[in-house]
């Protein structure tokens, strides 16, 4: 039986997981030795997540973190059950995961008193607090072959796998990301949503200090949080980014709700492994948000890798040219605010 105090400590670590615009759309219910993870769609962005993909991916990321944190807190392995109430989604709008609002999407419980915590959980636990999204240049070189192999292995989760992106495919993915970005650059509704999340005061959103700089050469199409309805903020800057960036995709053969949750799970495991190796990590998901651009990404990746794949996320990995400094911490809610009965 888990000690409740240890569960709460583990939840505090788990909630450092990434989520769409740091919306933290997770809630938890503790029952004996089990923790249920529910989706709270009342806090999720809508325009950047029209299908609910990012909301489900956020749940997968926090489940990956919760498994590691609970194993570290208790010394025992854990087991996770997904969609315990079935995979039939509700009706109504899809944006921001509204069809899954309030649903238990995963239950994490102790695997047994004789099941020791895995070596991987112990190794990755420190990375829970060290991981952060890098929106700055990574000029120290791409991952080594060994590092790529470790990140690929860490990202495997059920139907989900990770793939190192060859250079020609990387160029195409950057092109598709830039095109997707350009289509929204003057959209008032999109700019208003960006402004809401970058200016959000309190315990969610992205503080200015964590928003990062843009590429002075325009080759790296990171999301520009400095541009909103208010214009381009004076805290934005430009730097020279790596060219070409080293990219990594998390993908699977299907695109069910379970695949999307596991996509977030594999994504977080890849991010934690990369962090433990001293790599910087960034996200390039803009081209996955609208159906047409997502289909173009899937087609490019499937053609290059020789199998039919659905891409759940595109990552940028690389060594910094100097030791990674602690990033501006994006805010987090207290665990007590996330518990439901």
């Amino acid at each position: 039986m888990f000690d409740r105090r240890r569960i709460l400590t583990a939840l505090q670590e788990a909630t450092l997981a990434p989520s769409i615009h740091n919306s933290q759309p997770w809630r938890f219910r503790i029952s004996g030795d089990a923790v249920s993870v529910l989706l709270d769609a009342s806090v999720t962005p809508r325009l950047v997540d029209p299908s609910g993909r990012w909301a489900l991916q956020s749940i997968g990321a926090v489940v990956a973190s919760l498994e590691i944190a609970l194993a570290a807190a208790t010394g025992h392995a854990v087991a996770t059950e997904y969609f315990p109430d079935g995979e039939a989604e509700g009706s109504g709008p899809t944006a921001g995961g509204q069809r899954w609002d309030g649903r238990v999407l995963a239950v994490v419980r102790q695997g047994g008193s004789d099941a020791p915590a895995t070596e991987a959980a112990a190794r990755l636990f420190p990375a829970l607090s060290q991981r952060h999204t890098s929106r700055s240049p990574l000029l120290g070189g791409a991952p080594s072959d060994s590092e790529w192999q470790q990140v690929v292995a860490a990202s495997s989760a059920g139907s989900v796998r990770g793939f190192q992106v060859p250079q020609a495919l990387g160029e195409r993915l950057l092109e598709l990301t830039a095109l997707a970005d350009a289509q929204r650059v003057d959209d008032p509704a999109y700019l208003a949503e960006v402004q809401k999340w970058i200016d959000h005061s309190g315990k969610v959103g992205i503080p200015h200090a964590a928003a990062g700089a843009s590429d002075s050469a325009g080759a790296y199409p990171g999301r520009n949080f400095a541009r909103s309805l208010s214009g381009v903020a004076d805290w934005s800057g430009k730097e020279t980014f790596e060219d070409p960036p080293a990219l990594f995709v998390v993908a699977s053969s299907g695109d069910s709700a379970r695949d999307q949750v596991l996509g977030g799970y594999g994504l977080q495991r890849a991010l934690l492994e990369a962090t433990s190796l001293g790599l910087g990590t960034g996200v390039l998901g803009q081209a996955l948000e609208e159906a047409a651009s997502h289909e173009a990404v899937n087609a490019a990746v499937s053609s290059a890798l020789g199998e039919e794949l659905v891409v759940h996320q595109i990552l940028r990995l690389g060594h910094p040219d100097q030791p990674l400094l602690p990033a501006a911490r994006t805010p987090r809610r207290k665990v007590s605010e996330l518990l439901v009965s």
Side-chain angles (χ1 to χ4, degrees):
M1 181 74 70
F2 283 133
D3 179 289
R4 184 178 176 88
R5 177 179 53 83
R6 290 183 176 181
I7 294 178
L8 294 174
T9 299
L11 285 172
Q12 194 67 57
E13 295 288 340
T15 56
L16 298 176
S19 60
I20 176 62
H21 286 5
N22 191 34
S23 55
Q24 304 164 57
W26 41 66
R27 298 294 180 266
F28 307 102
R29 179 184 297 126
I30 301 172
S31 179
D33 62 356
V35 179
S36 297
V37 184
L38 300 81
L39 175 64
D40 178 7
S42 70
V43 298
T44 53
R46 300 290 192 256
L47 291 181
V48 297
D49 191 18
S51 69
R53 172 181 305 279
W54 294 155
L56 294 179
Q57 194 171 104
S58 300
I59 294 297
V62 82
V63 168
S65 295
L66 181 56
E67 287 182 350
I68 292 168
L70 281 176
T74 65
H76 295 286
V78 297
T80 299
E81 177 186 7
Y82 292 98
F83 296 91
D85 300 322
E87 297 185 47
E89 62 182 2
S91 58
T94 61
Q98 293 174 82
R99 290 187 177 182
W100 298 98
D101 187 34
R103 293 275 294 277
V104 175
L105 300 187
V107 180
V108 184
R109 56 170 49 88
Q110 185 174 359
S113 59
D114 58 347
T118 65
E119 178 276 334
R123 179 171 51 81
L124 294 178
F125 177 74
L128 292 177
S129 58
Q130 296 166 1
R131 182 216 62 82
H132 67 272
T133 300
S134 175
R135 299 183 178 92
S136 299
L138 300 171
L139 301 175
S144 67
D145 289 345
S146 174
E147 290 168 338
W148 277 123
Q149 291 170 9
Q150 292 178 75
V151 175
V152 167
S155 64
S156 178
S159 60
V160 170
R161 291 174 291 155
F163 299 86
Q164 178 186 352
V165 172
Q167 183 171 340
L169 173 59
E171 292 172 356
R172 177 57 175 157
L173 295 181
L174 291 174
E175 177 185 338
L176 290 171
T177 303
L179 287 171
D181 230 28
Q183 290 175 354
R184 283 180 159 172
V185 70
D186 294 317
D187 181 348
Y190 170 73
L191 294 176
E193 185 166 273
V194 168
Q195 183 167 326
K196 171 186 174 182
W197 289 97
I198 201 69
D199 288 345
H200 208 302
S201 59
K203 301 173 184 177
V204 298
I206 302 167
H208 296 166
S214 59
D215 182 11
S216 59
Y220 173 70
R223 196 187 298 273
N224 187 358
F225 284 102
R227 184 179 176 86
S228 70
L229 281 176
S230 300
V232 179
D234 58 11
W235 45 262
S236 65
K238 290 185 178 294
E239 297 183 37
T240 301
F241 278 62
E242 67 273 21
D243 185 17
L247 301 184
F248 181 82
V249 296
V250 178
S252 66
S253 58
D255 198 27
S256 67
R258 179 183 293 262
D259 290 322
Q260 292 173 24
V261 171
L262 288 175
Y265 181 99
L267 163 70
Q268 174 66 339
R269 295 281 299 201
L271 291 172
L272 294 174
E273 186 69 48
T275 299
S276 74
L277 294 170
L279 298 170
T281 61
V283 178
L284 276 176
Q286 301 99 297
L288 307 180
E289 292 167 359
E290 297 292 344
S293 56
H294 193 181
E295 288 176 5
V297 168
N298 291 342
V301 170
S302 297
S303 176
L305 299 183
E307 59 180 297
E308 290 298 317
L309 293 167
V310 175
V311 176
H312 298 295
Q313 192 52 272
I314 303 170
L315 297 181
R316 160 179 161 257
L317 305 178
H319 289 275
D321 59 346
Q322 54 188 346
L324 282 171
L325 299 175
R329 175 63 66 188
T330 50
R332 290 297 189 277
R333 290 186 174 97
K334 294 179 180 179
V335 169
S336 58
E337 299 173 9
L338 302 174
L339 297 178
V340 298
S341 57

